Amino acid sequence: MKKQDIDTPSIFHSHTNLLLSYTLFIVFFLVSVFSVYAHPLNEKVEKSVLSKYTIAYSKQENTITGTVLDSENRPLAGANIVEKGTTNGTQTDFDGNFSLEVSDLNAALEVSYIGFATKEVPIDGVTSITIVLEESAAGLDEVVVVGYGTQKKGNVSGAVSSIKGDAVNNVVTGNATQALVGKATGVRVEVNGGAPGAGSNIIIRGTGSLSNQDPLYVIDGVFSDNMDFLNPSDIESIEVLKDATASIYGARSGQGVILISTKKGKQNQAMRIDLDGSWGFANPVRQLDIMNASDFIANRQQAYANDGTTPPSNFNDFDSSIDSDIQDASFRSALVQNYGLRISGGGESSTYSISVNRLDQEGIVRASDFERTSLRLNTSAKKGRFNFTQSLFLAQSINRPNIVFGTEYGHLPISPILDTDNDGGYGAANTGVAGNTRSTNYLGIAELTQRENTNYNILGNIAGEYEIIDGLKYKLNLSINYNNGRNFTFIPTYFMSNSDVGLNPIADLDDYRSTFVSTIVENLLTYTKSFGEHNFDLLAGYSEQRDKTETIGVEVENFFSNDTRTINAGSDDVRRAGTLLPRNIRSYFGRLNYDYSGKYLFSASIRRDGSSNFGLNNRFGVFPSVSAGWNISQEAFFDVDFVDNLKIRGSWGKLGSDNLDPFQYVTALNITSQYVLGTGQQRSSGVAQIQFANPDLKWEETTTTNIGIEGSFLSGKISFSVDYFDKLSEDILANLPVNPTSGTNVSIPFNSATLSNNGLEFSLTHRNSVNEFNYSATANISTLNNEVTELGEGVNPITAGGFTDESFNSTRTEEGFAVGYFYGFKTNGVYQNQAEIDADNLTGRAVVPGDLRIVDINNDNIIDSEDRTFLGSPIPDYEYSLNLEADYKGFDIRLFFQGLGGNQIFNGKLFEGIFAQNGAKFEIAKDAWTPDNPSNTIPRATIADPAVNRQTTDLYVESGAYFRLQNVALGYAFPLDIIEKIKLSKLRLFINIENAFTIDDYSGYYPVIGRNISRGNTLFNRGVDENTYPTPRTITMGLQISL
Amino acid sequence: MLFAVIPSCNKDLLEVTEQNRLNPDVFWQTADQANSAIIGAYSPLGNQWGWGRMMNLFTTYRSDATNPIPFQGVTTDAANFSIEPTFGRLQETWGELWKTVLRANTILVEVPNIEDPQFSDEQRNQILGEAHYLRAYQYFYLVTLFRNVPLITEPALTLAEIKNGASDPELVWQQIISDLQAAQASLPETWDDANTGRATWGAATGLLGKTHLYRSGLENVNEYALAAAEFKKIIDSGLYQLMPDHADNFGNDKENNVESLFEIQFDDTGLSWGGDIINDLRTAAFEPDLAPPGYTSQSGLLINTWVRDAFLAEQTTDGQIDPRAFNTILWNEPGVMVYLDTFQEAFADNLNAVGCRKYLDFRDGKEQSDFGFAGTPSVINRRIIRYADILLLYAEALNEAEPNSSLALDALNLVRERSKMVPKAASDQATLTQQIRDERVLELMFEGDRYLDLLRWGMIPDVITDELKSNMGGSQYRPGREYLPIPQIEVDTNPLYEQNEGYN
């Protein structure tokens, strides 16, 4: 230790390092808050923005007043005016007026506005000026956030999708991740059904890993693995780094990077108060056709008759007057409410933005709801060469999920839903009644069980920047990401039926908490310099990240009362768990951006990351990238009138993933291999090696290539971009089974697989204004080919996708196919008679007329596991969206259409509907084959099922294609001259409809399936609908007020 | 105030220490650790994938006595020989058998090197003896259920060493014999109360005798004399005797009694399926697989009527039904209860049906069988070898080694005498052979022996008929299927392995 201290002259050392980080964080925070509040807002500026007469009042020697207009002579509110070469600037008010005190009346003004070309206007001694801005060609001067900085959109040579905040600000679901569905090409959002607070996974440009890693989210500089907890209306913009541009994030860039910027206060803007509220209802889009009680009984009797077996003696022990519909009883019209307040503004040298938000969302299925409260504080302050920024986000969310809705053995129409005689008050059928083996009541279980998942999130970031010499800046960025999660479950005693899933004689409490703290200390040096037409932008950085996850869990049971629900109130200890998982990362990175006159663009970056998740054999990874672009339209020889801009660009780079839990490379012994011993029959603790370790684990590495062309025509009326990408992901970690003769049967990770993704992305926008009618239309199309090109030496296909409590699987991952494709038997109708069976002459199955006719794929006359084959893929071949927006005299409308195709859904619900051991429940089962009803789709009713009709076949596979009007928003903003009288600057009423209509062929609730999270949120359970929560249609109304 | 924040180069940053799990480098130091390691080697025996449930499917369910009603492909595929290599229950059980092998192998390498002054030679030898016994115990079931298995006697040190092809079964048998001889030499005759249930001299000796007897049937060698000699050691030791009542062997109240050589211990505190996790289920969760229809969350087990007829064919010396029938089966006889119901109530639709009684737990007003997550699971210990079995095996071995030995007949009659059955008179060797075989049905049915008995007698292809497996649409037996398939996961992950005959 001592030697190291001498060798490394550093003020950052282990503990002191962390302590210092926290101290600096707090100091920065206090300084910036103080700077905002201690520095009184400039009265003059505040008034100049608010009212016209103060312009005259405050007019001074060097004050310029003026108006900023667009080419149609409409005022532009919020345009930025800066005295060139200084940081002195202001913004226009709602009528496009501004006033700015300048140091020199011979200076120039730089006027900029999003979507318009920045204009430089010489003052030439005049004090009143009208400035007309031209709409820019595809916003070439817009600034795009890239890793560790920003870049002009026109100079970007990689594939970056930008999404403006207003596209996600007012989403009904309240979830920023889900709001991205269809918003950017190449970005697929897998939403796990329609539950309030439902999780979702973003897949950028196809699945490049077999683990579960999401893209890296960087929220105002803070790293996160999701953004579900954000308040969507805080978001200013989202940038998706889809290609080698992500490479600057090295080891965590493998699945792409999503950069989120939240709303900041604007300089020289008077305090502004924005209030918004919305209120509405969600309802099921559709219901399933469920059998009534008499049909259900008839189907069961038919099954016994077909099997030639006698029903159990208590078969008829039910009340024949009962005909219950658990589905109907489970659904409701669900209230959704969302309220927000934002206060923002800024003075000469400081800005602030404070927002609070509250979301209350009931689920359309009873016993499910979600609530979130959040607070955000963003401030900035500067003095001379110092610049400070700070952001702090606090959120609490509580999710009360109903995870049992639609599960197997749920309920039979012959049993009462409520039964006040039972402990808990719900009913279900006893074992043997109607021949069922197991029965419970999933509405009852959901209502009785207290399941509460609470999350507290803190995201904080503080940065201090000092400009050492002109163009050379040093920035210290300290950030913290803190999450405290708690999953609490209390299952009270209840009795619904004597089936082993229908009763709970002993109450159980499970309380699991986890704390995640991640701190990053980032040192950045940037240098911006131009030599003539040569423009350089250099970045060098060093960062240290320390993550620590601590978990603690306790389970106790046997409560004297169902009303005492704490750990102390439980009589028996059942289980406790606690873990400590650290992960530390050290990174060095650098980047050069160069352009010649904005014509020739070049960028190169490199990053070296070391992670404690890897052993000494492979601890560090290096991730380089290069990209180049050519703005052809700026060449002298390029002289096409209608083309504003045309750019060709290309990129190549390596991205990494440290897709692994800590300590996977270390062999360890298990201490809970118990055995019962002694006359008292007590558990003794046993120690055993239960798994091997792979000491050679290393990064997953993705090589990505992108070629794109983009341009705009007719003064920005039409803009487009086309990208082709090719991604090869190698050394992909897969948890692979170890041969059990090793003495272990725990799968361990290997860098074994190779995945390939390629596709095309098109985006086309048309925007125009006719008189006061403004409209725009944006169409996006993305295609994707996903293929596992290699699984690894001696590695067997990965089987997953369970859809029932029986041991059937539905997905397979192997070479030559998409990840997690549907795999099973092909059928060719139903055997109508013995002659057909004889003609097929197949062995391996005990078939009789009425059984499914399974195709002998390999033509060996035996139906066995070798006859399973490709049945479909959960991954869409293409996705598309169309966004239409228009406004006219205060009215605005947005129509967002979205669709996809080429994928399938594995409708596992049909198992419950047709084959379940406790009885078929769907109407379609009434069409089961009988000699009198020669159905060619639904096999005969049977309980014994000797031909195993219920196993994985194409009967379950349905088209997953859909087209929907995902969102309609209609609004009306009252005219300014009216609302100004009541001291408002904005009053807008709106109505918002989510999932207005959907066109699809899917027979389940809704074709948005995501992953079958009840069998684990993994890639291999994609598109398997076992009990996916139905996606609702939601209609909300609301208003927005600005003061 | 902010300058001088120099990039840190803290060398320790990437060094983190695993504190959640035990590192093997700090283990294998003390006697206590050696003891916990041997507990870990026993562990796979008693969980749900072992004898807690699944081993019952691969032994009892496959015999000619059982005719289960199909249940979700979970339990019945083993019974009608339609089992696929991909069958999940098979893969789990296979894994459990091999876990003990690895753990025993590691103990046999590491425990001799432990330098702990508190570690007595006696304790060290006992633990090594247990490791030998447990390795032999699992290999005995591996070779009799799967036949083609690799012989692994050293723990793998690297990933490259874990893949091994199947060995000649003869090598496996020889290892079982030498392990059991080593165990015999170092295991105690009994354990103190705190350690009841651990392997003893008797357990090793009984299994060694069984090994010679099984080899004589399966491998076409004549080791009957060797087998008889081992069984005789047990008889002569005086350590074991028959309990007064046959029923004493299938209840919760007289576990680990003087008739028992080795049994799997159960408790009722389990929470989850599977092994190696804290508080995994270690109940007698095979009870629902044995219980009749309507009294189980499974579809239920029916017994072929020949079993009942075998019991009713003879009477006791005082003209009663063989008392063992009431401990073994459920049939239409006054007084036969199915949990709280009479047989007539339980089987109203099919009074000719026969159910399994052995190992069902009727205590405390239980209404039906239970796995253990809810209700009252059975905790009745599973008897693996008991003295009555030893006597019958001795009779069988001796009758082959020394035809017409009166000692063989005496051993048989000792078993019959307890149940007041009329003693068998001296006859010829073939008659005695048949009498012993019949007696095994009456004495031992549903204890896991019947299928393996049929296997070693070479009778599987002839005995297993469609009729006996009628509830499952007949037997799917094909030549080779008397052995189980090698689980697909092994064949897939271990290129040195080939699938067993009958499953391709």
Side-chain angles (χ1 to χ4, degrees), chain B residues 44-230:
Chain B
L45 270 55
N47 66 43
Q48 304 309 291
W49 297 334
W51 282 98
R53 184 175 178 204
M54 302 312 171
M55 281 298 282
N56 183 58
L57 303 181
F58 302 119
T59 54
T60 299
Y61 255 46
R62 305 182 81 206
S63 81
D64 54 347
T66 55
N67 196 358
I69 293 171
F71 182 75
Q72 300 181 344
V74 176
T75 56
T76 43
D77 288 7
N80 72 344
F81 295 81
S82 66
I83 198 163
E84 290 272 351
T86 51
F87 184 57
R89 306 288 89 79
L90 180 76
Q91 303 196 355
E92 290 155 3
T93 300
W94 173 257
E96 296 307 295
L97 291 165
W98 286 105
K99 281 179 180 177
T100 296
V101 173
L102 169 66
R103 295 170 193 188
N105 284 342
T106 310
I107 287 165
L108 290 170
V109 168
E110 299 282 359
V111 167
N113 299 325
I114 291 177
E115 291 172 21
D116 176 1
Q118 308 295 320
F119 201 8
S120 70
D121 286 348
E122 184 193 5
Q123 192 189 1
R124 191 189 307 260
N125 285 333
Q126 283 173 352
I127 288 172
L128 293 171
E130 287 174 281
H132 281 294
Y133 172 77
L134 291 171
R135 183 164 73 183
Y137 180 88
Q138 299 294 55
Y139 267 119
F140 178 83
Y141 286 103
L142 283 166
V143 76
T144 54
L145 292 176
F146 298 91
R147 184 153 185 89
N148 298 303
V149 298
L151 177 64
I152 302 166
T153 54
E154 305 263 337
L157 296 176
T158 67
L159 284 175
E161 294 171 27
I162 64 176
K163 299 187 195 303
N164 295 282
S167 306
D168 180 348
E170 183 56 26
L171 294 175
V172 178
W173 283 117
Q174 291 308 328
Q175 185 66 43
I176 292 171
I177 291 167
S178 70
D179 272 338
L180 289 172
Q181 287 167 343
Q184 219 176 12
S186 51
L187 285 174
E189 291 183 344
T190 56
W191 291 87
D192 60 15
D193 283 354
N195 289 289
T196 306
R198 294 173 78 146
T200 58
W201 170 87
T205 307
L207 187 56
L208 181 56
K210 257 177 97 166
T211 299
H212 288 304
L213 187 61
Y214 271 55
R215 278 172 50 70
S216 303
L218 293 169
E219 307 297 341
N220 208 17
V221 295
N222 188 335
E223 295 186 354
Y224 292 109
L226 290 173
E230 297 300 330

Side-chain angles (χ1 to χ4, degrees), chain A residues 834-856:
Chain A
Q834 188 60 40
E836 286 184 6
I837 295 169
D838 296 342
D840 276 3
N841 191 26
L842 299 172
T843 60
R845 287 172 78 218
V847 289
V848 298
D851 283 326
L852 285 175
R853 185 175 197 161
I854 286 176
V855 179
D856 182 21

Side-chain angles (χ1 to χ4, degrees), chain A residues 542 544 574 586 673 683 741, chain B residues 8 10 43 267 271 276 490:
Chain A
Y542 171 76
E544 290 186 356
V574 179
R586 162 175 294 153
S673 298
R683 294 277 170 113
T741 49
Chain B
S8 63
N10 159 11
S43 180
D267 67 11
L271 283 168
D276 297 315
E490 185 70 42

Side-chain angles (χ1 to χ4, degrees), chain A residues 31-32 35-36 349-351 379-383 386-389:
Chain A
V31 164
S32 51
S35 71
V36 170
S349 57
S350 58
T351 67
T379 62
S380 71
K382 60 185 170 187
K383 180 168 189 176
F386 286 106
N387 194 350
F388 302 101
T389 58

